[in-house]
Each structure stands twice: as C-alpha cells, then as structure tokens.
Amino acid sequence: MPPYSFFSGQPPPAPVANLVASLSRPVLSIDRQPKLFHSLQQEHNSVLSLAADDESIYTGSQDGQISIWDKTTFKLRAVLKGHNGSVLALEYAPDKHWLFSASGDSTIRVWNTRNHVPLYLVHPHLETDSGDLFSLVWCPQLQTIYFGCQNTSLQSFSFSAPTLEHASFGISLPSDGSIHSGTSTPTSISRKAHKFFDSYPQYTRRPADLNARNPTCASCLPTSASGALATSVSSSSPSSGPSTPPQDACVQDDSVKAPLATLHVLPENVVFSAHYGYVYCMALLPSNREGSDDAFYEDTHDGSLQLVTGSGDSTVKLWQLPHGRTQGAAPQLLHTFDCGAGAVLALAVRGDTVYAGCQDGLVKVWDLETRTLVRTLLVVENVDILSMSMLHSDLYVCSANGDIQRWSASFDLVGSWRAHDGIILSSIITRFPAEDKVVAQEQGKSERFALVTGGNDDMIKVSSGLPRVRRESGGCGVLTDDMQVWEVAPPRSDRHALSELSRFGNTTDISKSINDILVYALTKFVGIPSVSNSPVHKEDCRQAAIWLRKCFTQLGAEASLLPTGETTNPLVLATFHGTRTSAKRPRILFYGHYDVISARPTGWTSDPFTLTGRNGYLYGRGATDNKGPIMAVACAAADLLARRALGVDLVLLVEGEEEAGSGGFAEAVKRHKDAIGPIDSILVSNSTWIAEDTPCITYGLRGVVHCNVEIANDGPDLHSGVDGGSAREPMLDMVKLLGTLTDSSNRVAIPDFYDRVRSLTEDERQLYKVLSSVTQTPASLLAARWREPSLTIHNVEVSGPRNSTVIPSKVRAHISVRIVPDQALEAIAAAVQEHLRTEFGRMRSPNTLNVTIDQTADWWLGSLDDPWFLALESAVKDEWGVDPLRIREGGSIPSVPYLEKEFSCHALHLPLGQSSDQAHLPDERISLSNLRRGKRVVERFLANVASTPSPSPVPPSVDV
C-alpha cells in the first residue's frame, strides 16, 4: 500500500525561491520544513480513491478491495471485498452511514459503514457497456447517487423510497423489491459476465461467461461464485496471489458477503452522451464535502441544487438537479464551459466558483453566476492534475509529479511541497480528533482538519512539524495508501473573500442595529482593494462584486452579477422589493460604483484598506467615493424593509469600472435592460458638499472629452549635440500645436467653441452669491468651475530615455475638454480633432500627426422643479433642519446622462460627504454622522415618493 503522512502545524508552503509570483499578494515565507514522524508501507497497491467518516478512512485500490483505516490509531481495521475491478471512486453518505464504491467492473456497491455489511449492488443502464465508472456524488437532499461513466453518460439512482429505511443497521426492502428510480432483485450472485474480461479467445467462438479465466490484470482476476474477488490465503509471497493488506489480529477479514439486493438504473435516469469524453469527475453545488464552508440547503424546491461534471472532452458542464415535482428526473444541462486545456480530471467547488483541474497542469477558475473564466492557475506546466480538495477558501492541488500546492482565495500560491515520490491519485479533506483533548478544550478546538492524499509510491508517512506560515495559526492533517496525512489549517476569514456578514442576523435584528450593520459592512467593503485600473487587483474587484452581491442578499434584496465583458468587472444588480399593494410602486434606480483608485501608503495615517475611526471620521480608500454612500443606501432600504415600510422598489446598479472609464457599462445595461426593469427615477451619490456644515444637492455635472495627440517621425531618437538644429523636432511641433488651443486670455481658441454655452441667468447669479457667502469663494470662480467649459493639458510624454541630451522621435500629449450645457458632445470632439489637424497642417512639418478621442462623457443638468427633486430636497431639509444648497460639479460621471437617456427619466444627485473628505487623495474619509444621517435622508426620500402619487417619467432634455 502507498504511504500515509501526518504533519502537525500548518500545511507546508514551499521555500520562497520555488514559489510563483502572485498576481495580487506577496508570497508568504516559511519558518521550517516538515519532519517525518511515522511511516507505513504496503507494496503494489496504489490508492485510487479516498473517503472518510468520523472514525475511519476508506481507500480504494486497483485490486478491487477497500481498506478501512482507524483515524485514531492509523491501524488497518477491515477490508471490504466484492469488486473485481479497480475501485475508481468512493463517496461517503453521512446521513445514511453508507459508503458508495464505483469500479472498473461497471458496478457500484453500497456498504454499511457501521458494520461493513454490503447492502446493494447497483448496475448502470446498459451494465458493462457503460464501461468504467469514474466518479460519484451523493446528494442527501434528493437521496440520489450520481455517477459518471466511460461511455460518456451521466446516470443516477434514487434511494428515496420510504421503505428503504435502516433496521438494525441493515435495510428493509419492499416486498416487491421495487425502488424509486430503478429495479431491484434480491440476489446472492452479484456479478454478470463481462463481455471483454470474461471472454474466450476469438477462435473458440464461445460467448463470455463467468467460467472464463483471464488473469491479465487486477480488474479481471478469478472470482468466487458470489462475484467477489478471489483473495490469497498466504501473504508471504507476492507471487502467491493478488496483493492484500497483511493479516492482523485487529483486521476484520470476513468471508465475502453478497449484497441484499441488486439494483438497476432505468433509462429515464440516464443522460446519454452527457459529454463527448469520459466523465472523470463531478461535484455537487452547494458543496457538502468536509472542509467546505458552503451553506447547506435542505429545501429541494427552489432549484438551488446543481451538479458540475468534468470530462475528457475538455469541458465542464453545469446541470440543474431535479426539484419540486420533478424529483427523480434526469439533470438538465444549464451551461457548458470550454476549458481548452486537455481533459478535466478533477473538480472542486466553493460558492459560485468552480475550479477545474486539467490534463496539462492548469486550473481553470469559472464564475457560475456570470458564466465567465476569472482566472487560469498555472500549477506545474504539462503535469496532470489528478485531484483537488477545498478547505474553506483554500484550494489544495495535487499533481502527477507528487507535489501539492495550496492556493488562497485571491489566487496566491501560499504553499508548495513534495508529498509523494510517485503520482498523487486522490485526495480528501477530513476531520481528525485533537491529540491533546485537554489543551484542545482550553483553546476551544476539539478537532483538526487533515488533507489525505493517496498515490502509487507504496509509502504511508506520518509526520509532524510542518512549516508554519507566519500569518496563520492552527492546523489539520493528510493520509495516503500511498497515503499521507498532512495537518492543515482553515484560512483565516479573508477580508475580501467573506461570503457572508456573520453579524447580520434576520430582518428584525437589522432593524434594531442598522447603524452597527452599516459601519460593520463598510469595514468589510473598504477592506477589499478593488482598484479597477490595476491588473494586480483584478481578482479583488471580482471578489468585491461577489461580496457586495451577497451583502445585498442578506440585507433583503434579490441580487445577481451581470457580466460586462471578458476584461471588465461585473455589474452588481440588486432589487429591494417594496410592500405589495394594489397601487403601482415607484421604481428608483440607485447608481454607484464599487471600484476605487489606487492608494499609495505614503500620506496615509492608517492602512488605506482598513477602515479606521478617528475623531468622528471613518478613514479608508472608498469611504466617501463610493463605498460609504452605497452601504448607506442599501442599509436604508433594509431598514425600511425590516419595518415593512418600503413603499417603492429600489434597484441598485453598482459597477466596477467607473474609475477606469466605465468600460462595458452601457452595453451591459442595454443587454440586461429587461432584468433591470422599468425605472421612474435615478438616484446617484458620488460627490461631496461644497462646505463642512451645510447639506447640498447636486443638480449639474460637466461633460468631458479626453483626447490623445501624437507627433512623430520615422527616424530614431537623436543626440541634441549632434543633430540639434538640423532636424525638425516633434517636441517643438507639439509645443507649438498645443499653444494654439488657447488664446492670451486663457480662453479656448477652437472655432465656435462657445457658441452654444448657456448664458448666466439672474436666478443663477443670485444662487452663486449665496454659495459664495457660504464658501468664501468668489462667485466668478464657482461659475468657472461648474458652468463654463475648459481645456486642460495633462501630460506630455516622449520616446527614449528622457535624457536632457536626447531629441525624441515621438511625443505624446493628453488633453481634456470639459463641456457644459448646451454644447454637443460629438460636435466638440470633432471640433477638437479638426482644429489640431488644421493647425498642424499650417506648420508644414515633415513629421506626422495622430489625434484620437479616448473617452467621452456628456454633461448633465437636473430639473429643479421636478417632483422627484423636490421630494429629495424635502427629505434633506427634514433631516438636517435647513434648506440644502443647490450646487453643480465641475467633474463628470459618464453613466448619469447615459442612464437618463436609456431609461427616459430624470436623475438626482445626493452628495453625502463633506468638502474635506479627500476623495482620491490620501486619508480619504467620511464623517460617521454624515454617513448615518445620509442613510436617514434616503429613508425619508423613499418614504416621500411612496406616499405621493407617482409622477410620470419626464424624458430628459437639453432644455431642462
């Protein structure tokens, strides 16, 4: 038998020098190497499959036997005999105390784990024509076993008949032998003739029968009359018979017993050609494996149970399991994921994420909700991945070269070590009792996890002293039949991998402690470094979307993720449904963004991604832009919902690309407009007040045109001391060209640029006077910031080393133009390009000019007499006791004017933060008072619009 190894402490990451660079986190260091504590050896008996219950570990091998090992003593307790083919898969059903074993002899056997008695022999549909049975999954909710076959079929058998109940640790069969999803026949003979393994030489022209003797492999050894594998009487010589565990006084070696009944899968429980290759692996969703932190679903009527299968055709398929009245039906295909990386040999699942271990050393990571590939992990190039196991958010990947790698939830390689000298064929996570129960009770730990691995190197190792990862404490373990037992620790709750808000409770709890929930949730949200314009944080952005979707769900919304493209982050869509009445409920769309800009540590008083409270303010990247306002709005809806006072439908649409230009946003909204539904008004909270103490409402934003200008020649960079004065320099052309954009009064010199700019009205002039007195800022300066267009040159870049002696051959500049009502976005963009080309042509330069428009956003102006605006203004006044200031912003939010046009309704902009909130700067913050009172403003606003007749949507117009 192959080895078992037991290591106490942490799962062992490899030396730092051997670790692959992480995409989002630095690799952790290791203190020491593991030490071998004990070894066991059983020759010529590889471990192909593993399972475990509370007391034992079960190992299936190529000789058709199942060995049972005691978890406490590591002694061999018993051997289960019956298969005459390799035991390719084992599955433990804890609710039944059953062990399922699938074999190369085209049968599934069911064993009672309490007394090791064989219960059933299950024949697949078409029996031996189904070929090897590679994979098994037990679904306790449906009382059904699912298995994948060599003939590419997916089959199932249901044990849900009421008469199949335990009686004295046995089974009472119905008098007619019928079972829910197949047929059964009480029998004492369990095996039929195999048309290949029990065949005679072709020239004899005899049909296959059990009298044929073809001992060419372990799968076709002589059998007894009961169909059980013949065993050797003597274990002194390897040549005397097939290898079996050595005889021991403690090992039960009963004679082979026949199962109580033989069962047959019916055609209606078969998905023929489920794949175009062998079905090597499968997993249940949500996972019911030991070590999983997925929630367990007892309700089988909501369609939450799903199955994933992996195949030699390089695909993973997602199946809907039957529910409600359809129980007993075959699974229905939902989606096919093409891995494109060789056969899929192993699967692991956590939540909505599926990990597919492939033949060429890659792990493909799929998001089930958006149906997209989120990451490809390169484990060991061109080395098969034969097994994977999950311990909470940590993935353990076992390769054919004998190595184990541990990957974190953020796809960091945090551990790598050589576990076997041969191939690792199987692995599981299981619990072990604590070694020192007194110490364990004092520390509040009654058990440990273990990673059990099986291979073909004939060694069982029990070791202690695994390398410790400095960031963690605690531990678990691993065994092999070729088996090793490694003590491994569940990861600490990763701040960006949180799957739930553990302190939330039910809606009544939310109503009582909503302010605590608001700050708690914001703490977790800010802790996710969702920087959209950094490839290093790509996975953090996805985890932020997943966390936010789950947060909204726990607050009472129906939430989902909407894909925006292969390279862009998903949208989070959530709907808080109001109280059902006969009247039509208003539908309000809140727009926000969960992405943030980067935060360099310099200039910060505290960690930018750890929400820190000081002097009444909460500091952290995204606190005011835009994570704080998002949580305030969501908690406002949750509070109203808990008090049964939500009279509107509040739809939250939160994107993850706003700080990077909202790539894919418009296309995704159009594509999923039916899922979003009709909208009556749009609410935004993505700016700050103009002062510290007076609340504001924003009613206008400038638009923007971003333009790239490049001047270059066909030659190389030159030396100014050699070629200066003899060449037409691109830099000089660029300086002259940029100088034509403005005049001596600093006004934009593009022809007709100001023609459509609105004149300042008397009402606006009076408003600016009021704002000037509040902010101590000249009214003319406020008007220049908010309602007048502008042009800015942001940077100039050059080719070459940027040395003072180099004449660059290529020069690039980036400019932006801010536009206001009623300038036309497309017309201004075209005018900028035309002006630059015309002025460059006048220079008669031999260099070339290239002008491109990078990004654009239209201006936005709200309607001050709109009933929605008046309802929001009233809510602010009722909360703060003063009339809010009506202000505009000089910046741009591309999505606001787009959403107005797409849904034909007006937008409202409610800033929550103060002017000193430092958005986009070090020490970004939001006042705790503003956050909580902003939440109450939203509650008042939602109550206001629910209590008045819903105004008809007014299409936005440039004339408002």
Side-chain angles (χ1 to χ4, degrees), residues 236-268:
S236 59
S237 171
S239 62
S240 63
S243 174
T244 61
Q247 295 298 320
D248 189 289
C250 298
V251 179
Q252 300 177 17
D253 193 19
D254 300 335
S255 59
V256 175
K257 299 179 182 179
L260 298 180
T262 298
L263 314 175
H264 300 270
V265 175
L266 296 179
E268 54 263 34

Side-chain angles (χ1 to χ4, degrees), residues 518-519 521-523 525-526 548 552 590 592-596 611 618 620-636 652 685-687 910-913 917 924-928 930-932 934-935 938:
L518 172 57
V519 176
L522 183 57
T523 300
F525 200 10
V526 169
L548 190 59
F552 288 160
F590 172 79
H593 63 93
Y594 61 81
D595 65 318
V596 297
L611 192 69
L618 301 176
R621 176 59 84 221
T624 194
D625 182 20
N626 185 233
K627 293 181 177 182
I630 290 173
M631 296 315 307
V633 172
C635 287
L652 285 84
S685 182
N686 195 20
S687 62
L910 173 68
L912 295 190
D917 276 358
E924 179 180 346
R925 69 181 190 177
I926 191 169
S927 163
L928 184 58
N930 275 46
L931 186 67
R932 290 173 172 170
K935 168 191 158 290
V938 174

Side-chain angles (χ1 to χ4, degrees), residues 14-19:
V16 174
N18 295 333
L19 293 177

Side-chain angles (χ1 to χ4, degrees), residues 2-3 45-47 420-425 454-459 482:
N45 199 359
S46 299
V47 177
H420 290 261
D421 292 331
I423 300 171
I424 303 180
L425 299 168
N456 68 345
D457 53 4
D458 299 341
M459 291 298 297
D482 233 27

